[in-house]
Amino acid sequence: MKRRKFLKKSSLSTAGIISAPILTSCKTDSKAEVPITPTTITKPIVIATWNVPNSTAEAWKVLEKNGSALDAVEAGVKMEEADVNNQSVGKGGRPDRDGNVTLDACIMDQNGNCGAVVYMQNVTHAVSVARKVMEDTPHVMLAGKSAEKFAYEKGFPKENLLTEKSKAEWLEWKKESKYAPVINIENHDTIGMLAIDEKGDISGACTTSGMAYKMAGRIGDSPIIGSGLFVDNEIGGATATGQGEEIVKTVGSFLVVELMRQGRSPQEACEEAVNRIIKNDPNFKDIQVGYIAVNKNGETGGYCIHPGFSYRIFSEKGHENNISASYLKV
Ligand code: ASP
């Protein structure tokens, strides 16, 4: 994955007078509710936030053997969780401001089942623990030490997630920052993945180490069903990356799916969800948010506030695309 080096340091309450944005192609007119009529899915598809060829290829390996979308998204995002070079997900993730790497993840299947872990330390594959929460408990979310204990009970190994590289960067940040949180405009590498399998079933997963140098205990959108991820097997799925606070405030991924239910294309739905954020936040120029979506027909879309966000689609062997998402023109 291409690393985005630039980290903008700023307080969460950055003030500023922002001129009115011009949307590139965002629809704001209301449309009659026109449910999607699925055409026959001729082939599976996987779509993921960011240029993550290893992850989409891994998911594809599952789909091409007629595996389930659920298995595909889990296998796909695990690649990023294990990759220490991805400093926004899993092992090697940037720590919170106290130096602890804490992971958030969720997963959702074609039947509306879901599982999540938040603020979990010392276990690399947060998405798989989230799946265990979904499948082996009557709950949808476990947090912190209890999530970690549950993971060990399920056989996950204890690991140190803080790499020397992330530790050295954190120590540098501590010297300069006076504990101001970092708002990332470009460095958002949360992995959200959606897949449709041979049967036409849709599942999704989302995993992150969250905002770099966040306050201890802070949870973003990524593990929150409806915010960082939402799947409705009749309609489609959506997932997000970027500043979680803004995504949570607008229940972003649920919004994208509901807009698709009302007849918007995946692209139009992502645009409208970004539009909701910038309408509510006069400081939107300081933040990045990106959405991707797929509908039941396998049509895809992606949109973000600032240039730099891309997503990867794998829909046929030998046919992978990395697409630079269109963005708000301000
Ligand atoms: N969405 C993640 C969060 O707010 C961060 C990111 O995508 O970079 O925790």
Side-chain angles (χ1 to χ4, degrees):
M1 182 182 5
K2 187 171 168 253
R3 301 286 87 205
R4 283 154 293 281
K5 300 262 188 258
F6 173 63
L7 289 177
K8 179 164 186 198
K9 291 179 183 162
S10 158
S11 84
L12 274 170
S13 57
T14 304
I17 311 288
I18 306 295
S19 56
I22 301 158
L23 296 176
T24 47
S25 58
C26 199
K27 303 261 186 217
T28 49
D29 56 319
S30 62
K31 285 190 173 181
E33 192 159 317
V34 186
I36 294 172
T37 311
T39 54
T40 311
I41 302 288
T42 52
K43 55 181 186 184
I45 185 169
V46 56
I47 175 171
T49 54
W50 303 111
N51 188 15
V52 285
N54 294 339
S55 291
T56 45
E58 195 69 15
W60 187 259
K61 277 189 210 161
V62 176
L63 295 177
E64 73 178 349
K65 287 184 207 132
N66 291 338
S68 70
L70 185 66
D71 287 343
V73 294
E74 182 188 3
V77 304
K78 277 175 77 174
M79 297 298 285
E80 296 303 317
E81 288 181 336
D83 181 357
V84 291
N85 294 315
N86 185 333
Q87 290 180 279
S88 300
V89 176
K91 197 175 194 170
R94 291 191 180 86
D96 66 15
R97 70 185 194 179
D98 298 339
N100 296 311
V101 180
T102 69
L103 305 184
D104 302 328
C106 70
I107 193 160
M108 190 164 190
D109 75 10
Q110 71 281 0
N111 297 315
N113 298 310
C114 49
V117 289
V118 301
Y119 203 67
M120 187 178 70
Q121 298 180 41
N122 301 315
V123 180
T124 300
H125 290 301
V127 73
S128 299
V129 184
R131 184 167 176 177
K132 290 282 182 206
V133 172
M134 174 173 84
E135 293 179 341
D136 296 358
T137 81
H139 308 303
V140 296
M141 187 181 283
L142 290 180
K145 287 283 165 218
S146 301
E148 193 180 332
K149 185 166 170 274
F150 171 75
Y152 299 145
E153 282 164 14
K154 291 290 168 186
F156 290 85
K158 182 169 184 168
E159 291 179 83
N160 174 21
L161 305 182
L162 185 62
T163 55
E164 284 307 316
K165 182 170 186 237
S166 287
K167 186 175 175 184
E169 287 180 6
W170 166 67
L171 290 171
E172 269 313 296
W173 170 82
K174 275 218 304 184
K175 274 193 231 155
E176 295 169 10
S177 73
K178 300 193 179 90
Y179 281 97
V182 171
I183 294 179
N184 300 331
I185 287 185
E186 297 181 2
N187 197 353
H188 287 282
D189 295 341
T190 292
I191 302 304
M193 182 178 278
L194 305 160
I196 304 182
D197 61 27
E198 198 70 41
K199 288 200 275 182
D201 283 335
I202 310 172
S203 294
C206 188
T207 183
T208 192
S209 51
M211 181 190 281
Y213 320 134
K214 61 199 175 185
M215 286 177 69
R218 179 265 187 191
I219 309 294
D221 62 302
S222 306
I224 311 291
I225 293 295
S227 293
L229 173 74
F230 195 71
V231 171
D232 181 325
N233 205 38
E234 286 182 3
I235 305 298
T239 187
T241 183
Q243 188 157 312
E245 283 73 7
E246 302 306 314
I247 299 163
V248 168
K249 283 189 235 169
T250 49
V251 200
S253 293
F254 182 73
L255 175 61
V256 171
V257 173
E258 289 306 299
L259 288 164
M260 293 195 290
R261 188 191 307 282
Q262 291 164 19
R264 306 287 175 110
S265 68
Q267 184 61 35
E268 290 169 337
C270 290
E271 291 177 9
E272 178 60 19
V274 166
N275 193 27
R276 293 281 172 98
I277 289 173
I278 59 127
K279 271 199 290 200
N280 290 336
D281 187 348
N283 298 318
F284 69 88
K285 278 187 178 173
D286 293 337
I287 59 166
Q288 172 68 306
V289 167
Y291 289 107
I292 59 169
V294 63
N295 70 13
K296 191 72 178 169
N297 292 332
E299 294 158 345
T300 57
Y303 197 67
C304 55
I305 299 176
H306 296 283
F309 170 54
S310 70
Y311 55 99
R312 194 165 182 96
I313 298 177
F314 199 144
S315 58
E316 204 177 314
K317 204 166 177 73
H319 282 86
E320 282 188 80
N321 288 311
N322 192 59
I323 296 168
S324 290
S326 52
Y327 56 89
L328 200 66
K329 300 277 193 294
V330 288

